[in-house]
Amino acid sequence: MKNFASLLLTSIILLLTSLLTNAQNTNSNHAKEVKAKKIIVAYQDYPEDADDEKKALVDSTNKALEFAMKNFWDFNEIHDFMTLDDAKAYIEANDGFCYITIDIGESKSTTRNNTPGSIGPTYKWVSYAEKLSVYTPKPISNAWLPRYEGPMSNATAAFAVQQMNILFTNLYEEKFSSLMKSRGYVKSIGHKVAEKTLYIPKAYLNPKLTRAEILKAYPYDLEFVELSEVEDAILEKNTEVAVAYYIIAAMGGKHFHRVYISDAATGEVYGALDGPALSLELGLFGDVGGNSGKKFLINKKELEQLNNIVK
């Protein structure tokens, strides 16, 4: 249980903050600062070398973010929608505003540089992942986006906006004072997942698990569904459903893969499952180690972790 609690705390922090060198341990004062401001939704710009396909992907991201903010954000007043450059300039020139945008989180691993005359560390690995970020203009908080392929879906953006919205709400209401002190609160609400029907995408589940093993590990209301049904539950704000959703975070130059268990209607996080190390480049979940076989996000260990969330 101690190891699981440590994992849970790490997972929540991975989801809600970028863990970059300039990252903030988002706290109640930050939430009150954002609450007192109006927020601008900042669209991504096209890359300089963008072709029609890349422009279409940027357009889908901007449309999804606009949809999500209009329908899943109520922490403070939305002032306007504008390009990122315009948003940055606007909040620099006007008090009382902040902006939210989808950007890239970069994480580097370091090693000691023993070369004579060298100053500072040497980077070994760099990892990237998409995140939703709030700036005032300094970075205040980040939430990692669920993994997706192709154009961004409304559900992908909605999930991240839910996470940011509930984080600020809980901090503002002082249910916990900072991310680093959120463990007790998350542990205290974990049991609520058993009060709902938990939707887990079929593709996450290791097919070697038997029905008996699943029921023994998690003897509560559970349905294995298509990923689209998980996303529909989020978009419909289904109050009777909790969902499992796959998140990727960049940390220490590597990618961390977690399945978050959260309330479909509010985004409140009940806990996280520690999936195996997976490759981003080799299919949906990847064949790790050549012919070692396909790795699945939810195995017996993850089902036991799910049971521990309830306990």
Side-chain angles (χ1 to χ4, degrees):
M1 288 296 290
K2 176 182 278 189
N3 289 339
F4 176 77
S6 297
L7 165 67
L8 179 61
L9 176 60
T10 301
S11 297
I12 297 304
I13 294 171
L14 278 172
L15 174 65
L16 297 173
T17 184
S18 70
L19 295 178
L20 305 178
T21 54
N22 63 347
Q24 299 283 332
N25 174 28
T26 313
N27 59 44
S28 293
N29 288 333
H30 291 131
K32 292 173 183 177
E33 178 184 0
V34 172
K35 185 72 169 180
K37 298 175 182 288
K38 295 180 181 179
I39 198 162
I40 295 169
V41 181
Y43 296 130
Q44 286 187 349
D45 296 318
Y46 294 134
E48 291 184 4
D49 60 346
D51 55 19
D52 289 343
E53 183 177 0
K54 289 181 179 178
K55 288 180 179 179
L57 291 174
V58 172
D59 288 342
S60 72
T61 296
N62 291 336
K63 289 178 181 178
L65 177 59
E66 180 177 329
F67 167 84
M69 288 298 294
K70 286 181 176 178
N71 292 279
F72 292 85
W73 182 268
D74 61 10
F75 180 70
N76 64 352
E77 181 182 342
I78 297 175
H79 174 68
D80 204 352
F81 298 78
M82 59 183 71
T83 66
L84 180 59
D85 286 343
D86 287 346
K88 289 179 178 179
Y90 191 90
I91 69 169
E92 288 284 358
N94 298 277
D95 293 332
F97 297 91
C98 56
Y99 71 86
I100 189 168
T101 193
I102 292 174
D103 54 15
I104 301 295
E106 175 186 295
S107 176
K108 299 178 180 180
S109 67
T110 60
T111 184
R112 187 179 298 278
N113 190 341
N114 294 318
T115 304
S118 296
I119 300 175
T122 298
Y123 291 112
K124 297 176 65 177
W125 303 100
V126 181
S127 60
Y128 303 90
E130 281 187 295
K131 58 187 176 67
L132 181 72
S133 304
V134 173
Y135 296 86
T136 62
K138 65 180 181 294
I140 291 294
S141 189
N142 307 303
W144 298 108
L145 269 66
R147 185 183 190 277
Y148 66 96
E149 295 180 341
M152 182 181 292
S153 69
N154 285 344
T156 299
F159 183 85
V161 169
Q162 276 186 328
Q163 297 300 312
M164 191 75 78
N165 194 75
I166 196 68
L167 167 65
F168 279 129
T169 299
N170 287 338
L171 286 169
Y172 183 78
E173 295 176 356
E174 299 187 349
K175 292 180 179 178
F176 47 87
S177 61
S178 71
L179 279 173
M180 294 301 293
K181 296 181 179 179
S182 64
R183 184 201 309 196
Y185 175 75
V186 174
K187 288 178 66 177
S188 73
I189 65 171
H191 68 279
K192 292 184 178 181
V193 68
E195 300 171 4
K196 300 176 179 290
T197 300
L198 176 59
Y199 281 7
I200 296 181
K202 296 175 183 177
Y204 293 7
L205 184 69
N206 189 330
K208 292 183 179 180
L209 288 171
T210 67
R211 181 71 177 173
E213 288 175 318
I214 294 171
L215 291 176
K216 181 179 179 180
Y218 189 77
Y220 309 100
D221 196 358
L222 175 66
E223 290 187 21
F224 293 103
V225 300
E226 300 299 329
L227 179 60
S228 60
E229 294 178 75
V230 167
E231 295 184 330
D232 286 344
I234 294 170
L235 294 175
E236 295 165 4
K237 302 180 184 179
N238 191 326
T239 59
E240 298 180 355
V241 170
V243 296
Y245 217 171
Y246 172 30
I247 306 296
I248 297 174
M251 180 181 177
K254 299 180 181 180
H255 290 104
F256 278 69
H257 307 264
R258 297 288 184 265
V259 176
Y260 286 87
I261 309 300
S262 63
D263 185 281
T266 67
E268 189 84 84
V269 175
Y270 298 128
L273 310 182
D274 177 24
L278 305 169
S279 171
L280 291 178
E281 294 75 31
L282 301 174
L284 181 60
F285 298 138
D287 290 330
V288 180
N291 297 319
S292 61
K294 188 172 182 178
K295 302 293 184 181
F296 291 88
L297 284 168
I298 297 180
N299 306 284
K300 183 178 290 187
K301 180 186 71 172
E302 285 73 39
L303 283 176
E304 291 170 352
Q305 290 176 342
L306 181 58
N307 186 280
N308 282 335
I309 290 173
V310 179
K311 292 180 178 179

